[in-house]
Amino acid sequence: MQRISLLRSIYVVLFKAKINVLLPFGPIAIMLHYLSKKHGFVFFLSLVGITPLAERLGYVTEQLAFYTGPTVGGLLNATFGNATEMIISIYALKNGMMRVVQQSLLGSILSNMLLVLGCAFFCGGVVHHHKVQNFNKAAALVNSGLLLMAVMGLLFPAVLHFTHTEVHEGKSELALSRFSSCIMLIAYASYLFFQLKSQPNLCSSLDEPRENNEEDSDEVEAPEITQWEAIGWLAMLTLCISVLSGYLVDAIQGASDAMNMPVAFISVILLPIVGNAAEHASAIMFAMKDKLDITLGVAIGSSTQISMFAIPFCVIVGWIMGKPMDLNFQLFETATLFITVLVVAFMLQEGKSNYFKGLMLILCYLIVAASFFVHIDPSNEDD
């Protein structure tokens, strides 16, 4: 019986979805990396190869959400979705590429908050145009508060640097960054305890009371794979995405030269779109099924996790490695993040969603993308 269950699980995850015809592009990209020096092709094929893996990661997380509930399900998706960014960041930190770490993590937050959430709201709004989609306003506002706290953590080191008001020039900014990082990690740990243990009702899904009403009209969904199979597939798919992302990062400089595109634009815009492909696929999928609480748990939860955990964690890891990784993301990047958090906070305060809100968020992302395309990174000019 166990063997039959395993074979069925392999069929459901690897063969059932039509998008899996793109899976061979991943191994082809890895082969091209070793056989040729055409980085543009490796970059493009890695991009295509990650897409089905990301879609399957979203599907497996949805299966796991049947067993864990929407709050833990959204948190798990955010964590596994961000594993790629974390591995890329530590890899880049080890090589002393501090700006790549900063820009890719910042880009990941911008991508999640504007593009992922915007596409989810838009697709959900189009599919359910006959009604207003609701989500848990209290949980969204808690996340907005945490994101504003993250902006505060990034803002002060930048202001300190650009106003030249450090007590010890070059050292105070780094010391403040490390202290703020420790505080941000404590705040994120407290948030997890608050969300999962202290007040789980605050973050519970609005879908729960609706389920009883829908049972009569719609067929009740049932999980297609078991809980432990879902956990195993989550780990395996995350590993595959991380491996392929490594080859993608190696091809960035070559792809930048081949396409005549700034590395900063690739780091802030293109790389996070790939890194967030898992969140993107699953957030849209959940929104189209009218499960907006899980969509917010994925998109906004992922942004919160990157800003309050991944960024300060990289500062601490850099401290251990002896690398001067700090929270000074430069004024342009910090201002972009501040405005983005404000725009999204205003969108979420009503507790309702529609396709127009989604369209506005997508258009805001296009403005951000265009801004980074014409932005010269001052750190590169100094080198």
Side-chain angles (χ1 to χ4, degrees), residues 305-364:
Q305 194 175 66
I306 293 167
S307 58
M308 294 297 289
F309 175 74
I311 292 175
F313 180 75
C314 285
V315 172
I316 302 299
V317 169
W319 190 2
I320 294 165
M321 287 180 178
K323 306 283 184 186
M325 170 74 182
D326 58 25
L327 294 177
N328 176 14
F329 277 49
Q330 307 295 331
L331 282 179
F332 185 83
E333 284 89 337
T334 309
T336 307
L337 179 62
F338 184 40
I339 298 298
T340 299
V341 171
L342 284 183
V343 167
V344 173
F346 273 106
M347 294 284 185
L348 297 179
Q349 67 179 357
E350 195 185 8
K352 294 175 182 177
S353 139
N354 52 57
Y355 70 88
F356 179 62
K357 280 187 178 180
L359 183 63
M360 280 196 288
L361 290 173
I362 295 167
L363 295 177
C364 285

CSV table of all heavy atoms in Angstrom, one decimal, residues 305-364:
chain,number,residue,atom,x,y,z
A,305,GLN,N,9.0,38.2,6.3
A,305,GLN,CA,10.0,37.3,6.7
A,305,GLN,C,11.4,37.7,6.2
A,305,GLN,O,12.4,37.6,6.8
A,305,GLN,CB,9.7,35.9,6.2
A,305,GLN,CG,10.6,34.8,6.8
A,305,GLN,CD,10.2,33.4,6.3
A,305,GLN,OE1,10.3,33.1,5.2
A,305,GLN,NE2,9.7,32.6,7.3
A,306,ILE,N,11.4,38.2,4.9
A,306,ILE,CA,12.7,38.7,4.3
A,306,ILE,C,13.2,39.9,5.1
A,306,ILE,O,14.4,40.0,5.4
A,306,ILE,CB,12.5,39.0,2.8
A,306,ILE,CG1,12.3,37.7,2.1
A,306,ILE,CG2,13.8,39.7,2.3
A,306,ILE,CD1,11.8,37.9,0.6
A,307,SER,N,12.3,40.9,5.3
A,307,SER,CA,12.7,42.2,5.9
A,307,SER,C,13.1,42.0,7.4
A,307,SER,O,14.0,42.7,7.9
A,307,SER,CB,11.6,43.2,5.7
A,307,SER,OG,10.4,42.8,6.3
A,308,MET,N,12.3,41.2,8.1
A,308,MET,CA,12.6,41.0,9.6
A,308,MET,C,13.4,39.8,10.0
A,308,MET,O,13.9,39.7,11.1
A,308,MET,CB,11.2,40.9,10.3
A,308,MET,CG,10.4,42.2,10.2
A,308,MET,SD,11.1,43.6,11.0
A,308,MET,CE,11.0,43.2,12.7
A,309,PHE,N,13.6,38.9,9.0
A,309,PHE,CA,14.5,37.7,9.4
A,309,PHE,C,15.7,37.6,8.4
A,309,PHE,O,16.8,37.6,8.9
A,309,PHE,CB,13.7,36.5,9.3
A,309,PHE,CG,14.5,35.2,9.6
A,309,PHE,CD1,15.0,34.9,10.8
A,309,PHE,CD2,14.8,34.4,8.5
A,309,PHE,CE1,15.8,33.8,11.0
A,309,PHE,CE2,15.6,33.2,8.7
A,309,PHE,CZ,16.1,33.0,9.9
A,310,ALA,N,15.4,37.5,7.1
A,310,ALA,CA,16.5,37.3,6.1
A,310,ALA,C,17.6,38.4,6.1
A,310,ALA,O,18.8,38.1,6.2
A,310,ALA,CB,15.9,37.1,4.7
A,311,ILE,N,17.1,39.6,6.1
A,311,ILE,CA,18.1,40.7,6.0
A,311,ILE,C,18.9,40.8,7.3
A,311,ILE,O,20.2,40.8,7.3
A,311,ILE,CB,17.4,42.1,5.7
A,311,ILE,CG1,16.9,42.0,4.2
A,311,ILE,CG2,18.3,43.3,5.9
A,311,ILE,CD1,16.1,43.2,3.8
A,312,PRO,N,18.3,40.9,8.5
A,312,PRO,CA,19.1,40.9,9.7
A,312,PRO,C,20.0,39.7,9.9
A,312,PRO,O,21.1,39.7,10.4
A,312,PRO,CB,18.1,41.1,10.9
A,312,PRO,CG,16.8,40.9,10.3
A,312,PRO,CD,16.9,41.1,8.8
A,313,PHE,N,19.4,38.5,9.5
A,313,PHE,CA,20.2,37.2,9.6
A,313,PHE,C,21.5,37.3,8.7
A,313,PHE,O,22.5,36.9,9.2
A,313,PHE,CB,19.3,36.1,9.1
A,313,PHE,CG,20.0,34.7,9.2
A,313,PHE,CD1,20.2,34.1,10.4
A,313,PHE,CD2,20.4,34.1,8.0
A,313,PHE,CE1,20.8,32.9,10.4
A,313,PHE,CE2,21.1,32.9,8.0
A,313,PHE,CZ,21.3,32.2,9.2
A,314,CYS,N,21.4,37.9,7.5
A,314,CYS,CA,22.6,38.1,6.7
A,314,CYS,C,23.6,39.0,7.3
A,314,CYS,O,24.8,38.8,7.1
A,314,CYS,CB,22.1,38.6,5.3
A,314,CYS,SG,21.4,37.3,4.3
A,315,VAL,N,23.1,40.1,8.0
A,315,VAL,CA,24.0,41.0,8.7
A,315,VAL,C,24.8,40.2,9.8
A,315,VAL,O,26.0,40.4,9.9
A,315,VAL,CB,23.2,42.2,9.3
A,315,VAL,CG1,24.1,43.0,10.2
A,315,VAL,CG2,22.6,43.1,8.2
A,316,ILE,N,24.1,39.4,10.6
A,316,ILE,CA,24.7,38.6,11.6
A,316,ILE,C,25.7,37.6,11.1
A,316,ILE,O,26.8,37.4,11.6
A,316,ILE,CB,23.6,37.9,12.5
A,316,ILE,CG1,22.6,38.9,13.1
A,316,ILE,CG2,24.3,37.0,13.6
A,316,ILE,CD1,23.2,39.9,14.0
A,317,VAL,N,25.3,36.9,10.0
A,317,VAL,CA,26.2,35.9,9.3
A,317,VAL,C,27.4,36.6,8.8
A,317,VAL,O,28.5,36.1,8.9
A,317,VAL,CB,25.4,35.2,8.1
A,317,VAL,CG1,26.4,34.4,7.3
A,317,VAL,CG2,24.3,34.3,8.7
A,318,GLY,N,27.2,37.8,8.2
A,318,GLY,CA,28.3,38.6,7.7
A,318,GLY,C,29.3,39.0,8.9
A,318,GLY,O,30.5,39.0,8.7
A,319,TRP,N,28.7,39.3,10.0
A,319,TRP,CA,29.5,39.6,11.2
A,319,TRP,C,30.3,38.4,11.6
A,319,TRP,O,31.5,38.6,11.9
A,319,TRP,CB,28.5,40.0,12.3
A,319,TRP,CG,29.0,40.6,13.6
A,319,TRP,CD1,30.4,40.9,13.8
A,319,TRP,CD2,28.3,40.9,14.8
A,319,TRP,NE1,30.5,41.4,15.1
A,319,TRP,CE2,29.3,41.4,15.7
A,319,TRP,CE3,27.0,40.9,15.1
A,319,TRP,CZ2,28.9,41.9,17.0
A,319,TRP,CZ3,26.6,41.3,16.4
A,319,TRP,CH2,27.6,41.8,17.3
A,320,ILE,N,29.7,37.2,11.6
A,320,ILE,CA,30.5,36.0,12.0
A,320,ILE,C,31.6,35.7,10.9
A,320,ILE,O,32.7,35.3,11.3
A,320,ILE,CB,29.5,34.8,12.0
A,320,ILE,CG1,28.5,35.0,13.2
A,320,ILE,CG2,30.2,33.5,12.2
A,320,ILE,CD1,27.3,34.1,13.2
A,321,MET,N,31.3,36.0,9.6
A,321,MET,CA,32.3,35.8,8.6
A,321,MET,C,33.3,36.8,8.5
A,321,MET,O,34.3,36.7,7.8
A,321,MET,CB,31.6,35.7,7.2
A,321,MET,CG,30.7,34.5,6.9
A,321,MET,SD,30.0,34.7,5.3
A,321,MET,CE,29.1,33.1,5.1
A,322,GLY,N,33.1,38.0,9.2
A,322,GLY,CA,34.0,39.1,9.2
A,322,GLY,C,33.8,40.0,8.0
A,322,GLY,O,34.7,40.7,7.6
A,323,LYS,N,32.6,39.9,7.4
A,323,LYS,CA,32.3,40.8,6.3
A,323,LYS,C,31.4,42.0,6.8
A,323,LYS,O,30.6,41.9,7.6
A,323,LYS,CB,31.4,40.0,5.3
A,323,LYS,CG,32.0,38.7,4.8
A,323,LYS,CD,33.1,38.9,3.8
A,323,LYS,CE,33.7,37.6,3.3
A,323,LYS,NZ,34.8,37.7,2.5
A,324,PRO,N,31.7,43.2,6.2
A,324,PRO,CA,31.0,44.4,6.7
A,324,PRO,C,29.6,44.6,6.1
A,324,PRO,O,29.3,45.6,5.6
A,324,PRO,CB,32.0,45.5,6.3
A,324,PRO,CG,32.6,45.0,5.1
A,324,PRO,CD,32.8,43.5,5.2
A,325,MET,N,28.8,43.6,6.2
A,325,MET,CA,27.4,43.7,5.8
A,325,MET,C,26.6,44.5,6.7
A,325,MET,O,26.6,44.3,7.9
A,325,MET,CB,26.8,42.3,5.7
A,325,MET,CG,25.3,42.2,5.4
A,325,MET,SD,24.9,42.6,3.7
A,325,MET,CE,23.1,42.5,3.9
A,326,ASP,N,25.9,45.6,6.2
A,326,ASP,CA,25.2,46.5,7.1
A,326,ASP,C,23.8,46.7,6.5
A,326,ASP,O,23.4,46.2,5.5
A,326,ASP,CB,25.9,47.8,7.3
A,326,ASP,CG,26.2,48.6,6.0
A,326,ASP,OD1,25.4,48.3,5.0
A,326,ASP,OD2,27.1,49.4,5.9
A,327,LEU,N,23.0,47.5,7.2
A,327,LEU,CA,21.6,47.8,6.8
A,327,LEU,C,21.5,49.1,6.0
A,327,LEU,O,20.4,49.6,5.8
A,327,LEU,CB,20.7,47.9,8.1
A,327,LEU,CG,20.5,46.7,8.9
A,327,LEU,CD1,19.7,46.9,10.1
A,327,LEU,CD2,19.9,45.5,8.1
A,328,ASN,N,22.6,49.7,5.6
A,328,ASN,CA,22.6,50.9,4.8
A,328,ASN,C,22.4,50.5,3.3
A,328,ASN,O,23.3,50.1,2.6
A,328,ASN,CB,23.9,51.7,4.9
A,328,ASN,CG,24.0,52.9,4.0
A,328,ASN,OD1,22.9,53.3,3.4
A,328,ASN,ND2,25.1,53.4,3.8
A,329,PHE,N,21.1,50.5,2.9
A,329,PHE,CA,20.8,50.1,1.5
A,329,PHE,C,20.8,51.2,0.5
A,329,PHE,O,20.3,51.1,-0.6
A,329,PHE,CB,19.4,49.5,1.5
A,329,PHE,CG,19.3,48.0,2.0
A,329,PHE,CD1,20.0,47.6,3.1
A,329,PHE,CD2,18.6,47.1,1.2
A,329,PHE,CE1,19.9,46.3,3.5
A,329,PHE,CE2,18.6,45.8,1.6
A,329,PHE,CZ,19.2,45.4,2.8
A,330,GLN,N,21.4,52.3,0.9
A,330,GLN,CA,21.5,53.6,0.1
A,330,GLN,C,20.1,54.3,0.1
A,330,GLN,O,19.1,53.6,0.2
A,330,GLN,CB,22.0,53.3,-1.3
A,330,GLN,CG,23.3,52.6,-1.5
A,330,GLN,CD,24.5,53.3,-0.9
A,330,GLN,OE1,24.5,54.5,-0.9
A,330,GLN,NE2,25.5,52.6,-0.5
A,331,LEU,N,20.1,55.6,-0.1
A,331,LEU,CA,18.9,56.3,0.0
A,331,LEU,C,17.8,56.0,-1.0
A,331,LEU,O,16.6,55.9,-0.7
A,331,LEU,CB,19.2,57.9,-0.1
A,331,LEU,CG,19.8,58.5,1.1
A,331,LEU,CD1,20.1,60.0,0.9
A,331,LEU,CD2,18.8,58.4,2.3
A,332,PHE,N,18.2,55.7,-2.3
A,332,PHE,CA,17.3,55.4,-3.4
A,332,PHE,C,16.5,54.1,-3.0
A,332,PHE,O,15.3,54.1,-3.1
A,332,PHE,CB,18.0,55.2,-4.7
A,332,PHE,CG,17.1,55.0,-5.9
A,332,PHE,CD1,16.6,56.1,-6.5
A,332,PHE,CD2,16.8,53.8,-6.4
A,332,PHE,CE1,15.7,55.9,-7.6
A,332,PHE,CE2,16.0,53.6,-7.4
A,332,PHE,CZ,15.5,54.7,-8.1
A,333,GLU,N,17.2,53.1,-2.6
A,333,GLU,CA,16.6,51.8,-2.3
A,333,GLU,C,15.7,51.9,-1.1
A,333,GLU,O,14.6,51.4,-1.1
A,333,GLU,CB,17.6,50.7,-2.1
A,333,GLU,CG,18.3,50.2,-3.4
A,333,GLU,CD,19.5,51.0,-3.8
A,333,GLU,OE1,19.6,52.1,-3.4
A,333,GLU,OE2,20.3,50.4,-4.6
A,334,THR,N,16.2,52.6,-0.1
A,334,THR,CA,15.4,52.7,1.2
A,334,THR,C,14.1,53.5,1.0
A,334,THR,O,13.1,53.2,1.5
A,334,THR,CB,16.3,53.4,2.3
A,334,THR,OG1,17.5,52.7,2.4
A,334,THR,CG2,15.6,53.3,3.6
A,335,ALA,N,14.2,54.6,0.2
A,335,ALA,CA,13.0,55.4,-0.1
A,335,ALA,C,12.0,54.6,-0.9
A,335,ALA,O,10.8,54.7,-0.7
A,335,ALA,CB,13.5,56.7,-0.9
A,336,THR,N,12.5,53.8,-1.9
A,336,THR,CA,11.6,52.9,-2.7
A,336,THR,C,10.8,52.0,-1.8
A,336,THR,O,9.6,51.8,-1.9
A,336,THR,CB,12.4,52.1,-3.7
A,336,THR,OG1,13.2,53.0,-4.5
A,336,THR,CG2,11.5,51.3,-4.6
A,337,LEU,N,11.6,51.4,-0.8
A,337,LEU,CA,10.9,50.4,0.1
A,337,LEU,C,9.9,51.1,1.0
A,337,LEU,O,8.8,50.6,1.2
A,337,LEU,CB,12.0,49.7,1.0
A,337,LEU,CG,11.5,48.7,2.0
A,337,LEU,CD1,10.8,47.5,1.3
A,337,LEU,CD2,12.6,48.2,2.9
A,338,PHE,N,10.2,52.3,1.5
A,338,PHE,CA,9.3,53.1,2.3
A,338,PHE,C,8.0,53.4,1.6
A,338,PHE,O,6.9,53.1,2.2
A,338,PHE,CB,10.0,54.4,2.8
A,338,PHE,CG,9.2,55.2,3.8
A,338,PHE,CD1,8.5,54.6,4.8
A,338,PHE,CD2,9.2,56.6,3.7
A,338,PHE,CE1,7.8,55.3,5.7
A,338,PHE,CE2,8.5,57.3,4.6
A,338,PHE,CZ,7.8,56.7,5.6
A,339,ILE,N,8.1,53.9,0.4
A,339,ILE,CA,6.9,54.2,-0.4
A,339,ILE,C,6.1,53.0,-0.6
A,339,ILE,O,4.8,53.0,-0.6
A,339,ILE,CB,7.3,55.0,-1.7
A,339,ILE,CG1,8.0,56.3,-1.4
A,339,ILE,CG2,6.0,55.2,-2.5
A,339,ILE,CD1,7.2,57.3,-0.6
A,340,THR,N,6.8,51.9,-1.0
A,340,THR,CA,6.1,50.6,-1.3
A,340,THR,C,5.3,50.1,-0.1
A,340,THR,O,4.1,49.7,-0.2
A,340,THR,CB,7.1,49.5,-1.7
A,340,THR,OG1,7.8,50.0,-2.9
A,340,THR,CG2,6.4,48.2,-2.0
A,341,VAL,N,5.9,50.1,1.1
A,341,VAL,CA,5.2,49.7,2.3
A,341,VAL,C,4.0,50.5,2.6
A,341,VAL,O,2.9,50.0,3.0
A,341,VAL,CB,6.2,49.7,3.5
A,341,VAL,CG1,5.4,49.4,4.8
A,341,VAL,CG2,7.3,48.6,3.4
A,342,LEU,N,4.1,51.9,2.4
A,342,LEU,CA,3.0,52.8,2.6
A,342,LEU,C,1.8,52.5,1.7
A,342,LEU,O,0.7,52.4,2.1
A,342,LEU,CB,3.4,54.2,2.5
A,342,LEU,CG,4.2,54.9,3.6
A,342,LEU,CD1,4.5,56.3,3.3
A,342,LEU,CD2,3.5,54.7,4.9
A,343,VAL,N,2.2,52.3,0.4
A,343,VAL,CA,1.1,52.0,-0.6
A,343,VAL,C,0.4,50.7,-0.3
A,343,VAL,O,-0.9,50.7,-0.3
A,343,VAL,CB,1.8,51.9,-2.1
A,343,VAL,CG1,0.8,51.4,-3.1
A,343,VAL,CG2,2.2,53.3,-2.5
A,344,VAL,N,1.1,49.7,0.0
A,344,VAL,CA,0.5,48.4,0.3
A,344,VAL,C,-0.3,48.4,1.6
A,344,VAL,O,-1.4,47.9,1.7
A,344,VAL,CB,1.6,47.3,0.3
A,344,VAL,CG1,1.0,45.9,0.8
A,344,VAL,CG2,2.2,47.1,-1.0
A,345,ALA,N,0.2,49.2,2.6
A,345,ALA,CA,-0.5,49.3,3.9
A,345,ALA,C,-1.9,50.0,3.7
A,345,ALA,O,-2.9,49.5,4.2
A,345,ALA,CB,0.3,50.1,4.9
A,346,PHE,N,-1.9,51.0,2.8
A,346,PHE,CA,-3.2,51.6,2.5
A,346,PHE,C,-4.1,50.7,1.7
A,346,PHE,O,-5.4,50.7,2.0
A,346,PHE,CB,-2.9,52.9,1.6
A,346,PHE,CG,-2.7,54.1,2.4
A,346,PHE,CD1,-1.4,54.7,2.5
A,346,PHE,CD2,-3.7,54.8,3.1
A,346,PHE,CE1,-1.1,55.8,3.3
A,346,PHE,CE2,-3.5,55.9,3.9
A,346,PHE,CZ,-2.2,56.4,4.0
A,347,MET,N,-3.6,49.9,0.9
A,347,MET,CA,-4.4,48.9,0.1
A,347,MET,C,-5.1,47.8,1.0
A,347,MET,O,-6.1,47.3,0.7
A,347,MET,CB,-3.6,48.2,-1.0
A,347,MET,CG,-3.1,49.1,-2.0
A,347,MET,SD,-4.3,49.5,-3.2
A,347,MET,CE,-3.4,50.5,-4.4
A,348,LEU,N,-4.3,47.5,2.1
A,348,LEU,CA,-4.8,46.4,2.9
A,348,LEU,C,-5.7,46.8,4.1
A,348,LEU,O,-6.4,46.0,4.7
A,348,LEU,CB,-3.6,45.7,3.5
A,348,LEU,CG,-2.6,45.0,2.6
A,348,LEU,CD1,-1.5,44.3,3.3
A,348,LEU,CD2,-3.3,43.9,1.7
A,349,GLN,N,-5.7,48.1,4.4
A,349,GLN,CA,-6.4,48.6,5.6
A,349,GLN,C,-8.0,48.4,5.6
A,349,GLN,O,-8.6,48.3,6.6
A,349,GLN,CB,-6.1,50.0,5.9
A,349,GLN,CG,-6.7,51.0,4.9
A,349,GLN,CD,-6.3,52.5,5.3
A,349,GLN,OE1,-5.7,52.7,6.3
A,349,GLN,NE2,-6.7,53.4,4.5
A,350,GLU,N,-8.5,48.2,4.3
A,350,GLU,CA,-10.0,48.0,4.2
A,350,GLU,C,-10.4,46.6,4.5
A,350,GLU,O,-11.6,46.3,4.8
A,350,GLU,CB,-10.4,48.5,2.8
A,350,GLU,CG,-11.9,48.7,2.6
A,350,GLU,CD,-12.3,49.0,1.2
A,350,GLU,OE1,-11.4,48.9,0.3
A,350,GLU,OE2,-13.4,49.3,1.0
A,351,GLY,N,-9.5,45.6,4.3
A,351,GLY,CA,-9.8,44.2,4.4
A,351,GLY,C,-10.6,43.6,3.3
A,351,GLY,O,-11.1,42.6,3.4
A,352,LYS,N,-10.6,44.4,2.1
A,352,LYS,CA,-11.2,43.9,0.9
A,352,LYS,C,-10.3,44.0,-0.3
A,352,LYS,O,-9.4,44.8,-0.3
A,352,LYS,CB,-12.5,44.7,0.7
A,352,LYS,CG,-13.6,44.5,1.7
A,352,LYS,CD,-14.8,45.4,1.5
A,352,LYS,CE,-15.8,45.2,2.6
A,352,LYS,NZ,-16.9,46.2,2.5
A,353,SER,N,-10.6,43.1,-1.3
A,353,SER,CA,-9.7,43.1,-2.5
A,353,SER,C,-10.6,43.1,-3.7
A,353,SER,O,-11.7,42.6,-3.7
A,353,SER,CB,-8.8,41.9,-2.4
A,353,SER,OG,-8.7,41.3,-3.6
A,354,ASN,N,-10.0,43.7,-4.8
A,354,ASN,CA,-10.7,43.6,-6.1
A,354,ASN,C,-9.6,43.7,-7.2
A,354,ASN,O,-8.4,44.0,-6.9
A,354,ASN,CB,-11.8,44.7,-6.3
A,354,ASN,CG,-11.2,46.1,-6.0
A,354,ASN,OD1,-10.2,46.5,-6.5
A,354,ASN,ND2,-11.8,46.8,-5.0
A,355,TYR,N,-10.0,43.5,-8.5
A,355,TYR,CA,-9.0,43.5,-9.5
A,355,TYR,C,-8.4,44.9,-9.8
A,355,TYR,O,-7.2,45.0,-10.2
A,355,TYR,CB,-9.6,43.0,-10.8
A,355,TYR,CG,-10.6,43.9,-11.5
A,355,TYR,CD1,-10.2,44.9,-12.4
A,355,TYR,CD2,-12.0,43.8,-11.2
A,355,TYR,CE1,-11.1,45.7,-13.0
A,355,TYR,CE2,-12.9,44.6,-11.8
A,355,TYR,CZ,-12.5,45.6,-12.7
A,355,TYR,OH,-13.4,46.5,-13.3
A,356,PHE,N,-9.1,46.0,-9.4
A,356,PHE,CA,-8.5,47.3,-9.6
A,356,PHE,C,-7.3,47.6,-8.7
A,356,PHE,O,-6.3,48.1,-9.0
A,356,PHE,CB,-9.6,48.4,-9.4
A,356,PHE,CG,-9.1,49.8,-9.6
A,356,PHE,CD1,-8.5,50.2,-10.8
A,356,PHE,CD2,-9.1,50.7,-8.5
A,356,PHE,CE1,-8.0,51.5,-11.0
A,356,PHE,CE2,-8.6,52.0,-8.7
A,356,PHE,CZ,-8.1,52.4,-9.9
A,357,LYS,N,-7.5,47.1,-7.4
A,357,LYS,CA,-6.4,47.2,-6.5
A,357,LYS,C,-5.2,46.4,-7.0
A,357,LYS,O,-4.0,46.9,-6.9
A,357,LYS,CB,-6.8,46.7,-5.1
A,357,LYS,CG,-7.6,47.6,-4.2
A,357,LYS,CD,-7.8,47.0,-2.8
A,357,LYS,CE,-8.6,48.0,-2.0
A,357,LYS,NZ,-8.8,47.5,-0.6
A,358,GLY,N,-5.4,45.3,-7.5
A,358,GLY,CA,-4.3,44.4,-8.1
A,358,GLY,C,-3.6,45.1,-9.2
A,358,GLY,O,-2.4,45.2,-9.3
A,359,LEU,N,-4.4,45.7,-10.1
A,359,LEU,CA,-3.9,46.5,-11.3
A,359,LEU,C,-3.0,47.6,-10.8
A,359,LEU,O,-1.9,47.9,-11.3
A,359,LEU,CB,-5.0,47.0,-12.2
A,359,LEU,CG,-4.6,47.7,-13.4
A,359,LEU,CD1,-3.8,46.7,-14.4
A,359,LEU,CD2,-5.8,48.3,-14.2
A,360,MET,N,-3.5,48.4,-9.8
A,360,MET,CA,-2.7,49.5,-9.3
A,360,MET,C,-1.3,49.0,-8.7
A,360,MET,O,-0.3,49.7,-8.9
A,360,MET,CB,-3.5,50.2,-8.2
A,360,MET,CG,-4.5,51.2,-8.7
A,360,MET,SD,-5.1,52.4,-7.5
A,360,MET,CE,-6.1,51.3,-6.4
A,361,LEU,N,-1.3,47.9,-8.0
A,361,LEU,CA,-0.1,47.4,-7.4
A,361,LEU,C,0.9,47.0,-8.5
A,361,LEU,O,2.1,47.2,-8.5
A,361,LEU,CB,-0.4,46.2,-6.5
A,361,LEU,CG,-1.0,46.5,-5.2
A,361,LEU,CD1,-1.4,45.3,-4.4
A,361,LEU,CD2,-0.1,47.4,-4.3
A,362,ILE,N,0.3,46.3,-9.6
A,362,ILE,CA,1.2,45.9,-10.7
A,362,ILE,C,1.8,47.1,-11.4
A,362,ILE,O,3.0,47.2,-11.8
A,362,ILE,CB,0.4,45.1,-11.8
A,362,ILE,CG1,-0.1,43.7,-11.1
A,362,ILE,CG2,1.2,44.8,-13.0
A,362,ILE,CD1,-1.1,43.0,-11.9
A,363,LEU,N,1.0,48.2,-11.6
A,363,LEU,CA,1.4,49.4,-12.3
A,363,LEU,C,2.5,50.1,-11.4
A,363,LEU,O,3.5,50.7,-12.0
A,363,LEU,CB,0.3,50.4,-12.6
A,363,LEU,CG,-0.8,49.8,-13.6
A,363,LEU,CD1,-1.9,50.8,-13.7
A,363,LEU,CD2,-0.1,49.6,-14.9
A,364,CYS,N,2.3,50.1,-10.1
A,364,CYS,CA,3.3,50.6,-9.2
A,364,CYS,C,4.7,49.9,-9.4
A,364,CYS,O,5.8,50.5,-9.4
A,364,CYS,CB,2.9,50.5,-7.7
A,364,CYS,SG,1.6,51.7,-7.3
